[in-house]
Amino acid sequence: MFDFEGAAPPLASLRAPIVTRAHRVPSLRYRVAENGGKAHAAERFDPGAHVRHLLVTRREEFDPAREQILLRPLPEERPPWDIWLIQCGEQSFTVCFRSDHALRDGVAAAAVLRLLIADEPVDWSPRSSPSTRTGLRGIVAVLGQTARAMRPLTPAPAFTGTASRIPHLLYQDIPLALLRGAARAHGATVNDVYLAALSEAVHRWHQDVTHQGHPSMPVTVPLSVRGRDQAPLVGNALVGARLTLPCKDGGGVEGALDMVISQTHRLRTIGYRGSARLVLDVLPRRLGARLALRVAGAGSVGLLASNVDCGTALHFFALPASQAQLFSALADGLRCYTALTGYDSLARLTIVHDGSLTKMPRLGGHWAAAVRELADAPRKPRPTFVALAPSRRAVAPTMSAEEHHGAKD
């Protein structure tokens, strides 16, 4: 979604460039076979039929209308994507691109939407390509993590209970400079700060609700292995990893950051991302997909944390987008999904959660407060981490950002 302030253009004016440009994006023609097999190109392709309109008359109806986008089914009789112009009178509007996750990941979705609607479209891609470095330790870590993903997990206390299966959407905005400042102050990455603040936010939110502490919690972190200039290609180029968040007292948000840094540093050192891609490439396609889904599956974990760079300022009919956000519908038993979206000078934490989780809006406020605490904390020297071979005693393997390629801001 890209948000804009001001009057929306006519739907026909939005549809015209999309119809022209969609033919240049091969993946938009594709569908997944009904039996879950290979994707195939549709025989007939009418991009104009994928452009829809939703009008609300009052500002207070705007966010609920965008939330309802999660519940609407994707097209079934044509390739599973659409673009919605969600208009709030003459005040503001959102352009929303929805897609089947099997056909493209978050990096691809952000790039495709920019290509379709930007006044001056460019072949935008994240600032740096994902690492393709591989090694024996990385491959061993991938195989070990896959094996551990097969084991049943005890659900995190904050995300247990009877699910309502009604998704709710909320978000928290902060300046991207605040995240970058906190990262520089602690010798960390933006993604490290995001995850450490999320750990502290879960602890504080759970304490608000139950007046009790929260144990350490495994979190699923998707990682993009999509290379530069590959956004228009069909396919979900994600591998998964699990990170342990402390979510408890004893060091506060700075202690959580130390724990996150130690894990992400190790996996960067052993080339986990490239090794995971290599393992998936050499396996038979169906087996590789099954293993990737198992590792990335967050139902038993409770929380999935994504991180996506949506690029520099985008102009649409001469209006600059005020904010961008990316999120996924809840699936496979997932109770909560968070996504940090970087766009121009802004950052947005989007939270999609099951309706059974009460007082959830506090989570965003706690997260922003934790980021500010890290930014305001005095600088301190970071320990030197030594990458070791994977330990048999490791409770949970780990990783850094989902689809964030600019992690070293």
Side-chain angles (χ1 to χ4, degrees), residues 161-175:
T162 303
S164 70
R165 302 191 181 279
I166 300 174
H168 292 281
L169 174 69
L170 57 98
Y171 51 86
Q172 178 75 43
D173 294 339
I174 64 171

Side-chain angles (χ1 to χ4, degrees), residues 221-225 237-241 272-273 276-277 280 292 295-296 402:
V221 183
L223 307 161
S224 177
V225 292
L238 290 180
V239 296
Y272 180 89
R273 189 193 300 256
R277 179 74 270 172
L280 293 180
V295 175
E402 184 233 309

Side-chain angles (χ1 to χ4, degrees), residues 307-325:
N307 187 345
V308 184
D309 174 11
C310 285
T312 57
L314 176 144
H315 288 77
F316 174 64
F317 283 85
L319 290 174
S322 58
Q323 186 56 281
Q325 67 185 120

